[in-house]
Amino acid sequence: MNVALRFDPVRLPDYCQALRQEVRAFIAEQVDKGVYDPNASEHDIESMKAFAKAVSAKGWIGMAWPKEYGGQERSFLERYVVSEEMLVHRAPTRKYFVADRQSGPTLIRYASENIKRQVLPKIIAGEAMFCIGMSEPNSGSDLFAANAKATKVDGGWRLNGAKIWTSGAQHADYMIGLFRTSQPTKENRRHGLTSFLVDMHAEGVTVNPIQQITGIAEFNECVFDNVFLPDDYVIGEIDGAWKQATSELAYERSGPERFLETFGAMRAFLAAVEGTDDPRVQEGLGRLIAQLHTMRRMSVSVAGMLEAGREPVTEAAIVKDLGTVWDKALPRELRELVSLMDYDKYDVAAYRERMNYFTRMSTKLTIQGGTTEILRGIVARGLGLR
């Protein structure tokens, strides 16, 4: 079977490079003001709030959205540049990042006009934090097996069940969650799932943080006990959310965050070995940078497809698979290179302190946003192999 799988060669235009310099200057200003520390392992919620307000004032939240809803109608490539610089400089973007990347575009496309007018301005102002409710206990990334239910009642719906591995839920104001509204059919296993906007402050919502090996609780279990949602909190078609979910994941899986989460380890290594003439270290770094450049080109290509109105679900899955596998392996690759260094000549001890954090943190990367196994199934289906 011939399948159209394309990564068009997209070059960032000059106006994107000018924007890059503006973003770098902004980040340097925020660091100088003490808004955040780029070398901190994790940022507190107050830093996230302050940074979100500053980014909002620059017009960089929802920058690719329609002006009708407060956006700037700038390109996905410009948004890509902003995201890339924020990631490289470890900016505390979590307050708004998920909403800007995928939740806002989902609401623009599928939500009622009332919800758009109510929620989108909060996102653009840097005031609304979103999380994504897909995975569940006992089913993980197999979304077809979702059992958390939404039951129709007078004036709305009642939610019962649980979601797990929900990043940032303990601070989130809203969730876009996938709930079962009817049973799947033999002909269509995808049938019966509906997306809802969930107010995370509503009565009956309980968030249980899950502590990771880093000592940080980034993931959470979210339990819903008879949570009431009004009718207009339904996002899109009842029983037909599967296509919406896969479209949303094209935004989530293809960005630079999929290969830059441990980039801080490489920056620390480069600082530690500055001036080295060891050919083994130079070869190793050259290989890693070439791999990084390749993944970046693929990610920019997907941003170009989104800009053109396409839904590159298979290409996004490839970027996420390759990117997170590489990102997870990067600390190990750098540990092998540092073993070649002269400890008396280079400040390897300071580097090792940073490396300890990135090594522990990297264990989560091939799980979040869809496991590697699930992604490869999506790629196989996209290539007509299953």
Side-chain angles (χ1 to χ4, degrees), residues 62-67 69 71-73 99-100 104-105 108 120 123-124:
M63 60 189 297
W65 299 359
K67 290 182 179 180
Y69 300 113
Q72 304 285 323
E73 294 186 5
D100 180 46
I108 290 170
L120 294 175
I123 296 175
I124 293 209

Side-chain angles (χ1 to χ4, degrees), residues 17-229:
Q17 303 302 352
L19 176 60
R20 186 183 301 281
Q21 298 307 315
E22 184 182 352
V23 177
R24 288 179 179 176
F26 167 79
I27 291 173
E29 180 184 28
Q30 296 301 303
V31 173
D32 288 344
K33 287 181 177 179
V35 174
Y36 85 101
D37 177 3
N39 293 315
S41 296
E42 189 70 7
H43 302 108
D44 60 55
I45 188 62
E46 294 307 317
S47 293
M48 295 180 207
K49 290 179 179 178
F51 191 79
K53 284 291 186 183
V55 176
S56 173
K58 296 292 290 185
W60 292 339
I61 302 178
M63 60 189 297
W65 299 359
K67 290 182 179 180
E68 179 183 4
Y69 300 113
Q72 304 285 323
E73 294 186 5
R74 299 179 74 166
S75 71
F76 277 94
L77 296 179
E78 288 175 287
R79 186 192 175 279
Y80 183 96
V81 166
V82 174
S83 296
E84 187 173 58
E85 289 299 322
M86 297 294 186
L87 287 160
V88 166
H89 293 93
R90 294 184 55 75
T93 61
R94 187 170 297 169
K95 175 69 178 176
Y96 66 87
F97 189 81
V98 170
D100 180 46
R101 176 184 66 186
Q102 66 194 93
S103 302
T106 297
L107 294 180
I108 290 170
R109 186 167 184 179
Y110 297 109
S112 68
E113 197 62 27
N114 177 52
I115 291 297
K116 292 176 187 178
R117 300 294 178 186
Q118 176 184 334
V119 177
L120 294 175
K122 296 179 184 178
I123 296 175
I124 293 209
E127 297 172 353
M129 182 172 174
F130 272 67
C131 61
I132 305 300
M134 290 190 177
S135 296
E136 294 187 8
N138 304 318
S139 62
S141 293
D142 182 7
L143 301 185
F144 295 155
N147 283 316
K149 293 183 180 180
T151 305
K152 189 71 181 75
V153 296
D154 288 343
W157 299 78
R158 292 284 181 184
L159 306 183
N160 287 281
K163 297 291 179 179
I164 202 165
W165 311 124
T166 311
S167 298
Q170 72 269 50
H171 301 305
D173 302 292
Y174 297 98
M175 168 192 285
I176 292 185
L178 202 63
F179 290 83
R180 184 160 294 287
T181 44
S182 63
Q183 292 302 309
T185 65
K186 291 182 179 179
E187 297 77 20
N188 185 5
R189 193 172 173 231
R190 298 172 175 82
H191 176 78
L193 296 172
T194 303
S195 284
F196 289 85
L197 176 67
V198 182
D199 181 350
M200 294 298 287
H201 305 297
E203 183 178 356
V205 177
T206 302
V207 178
N208 302 312
I210 300 172
Q211 186 162 317
Q212 296 156 239
I213 193 172
T214 58
I216 297 167
E218 181 181 358
F219 296 135
N220 300 270
E221 177 192 47
C222 302
V223 180
F224 306 94
D225 182 11
N226 216 30
V227 177
F228 176 77
L229 298 179

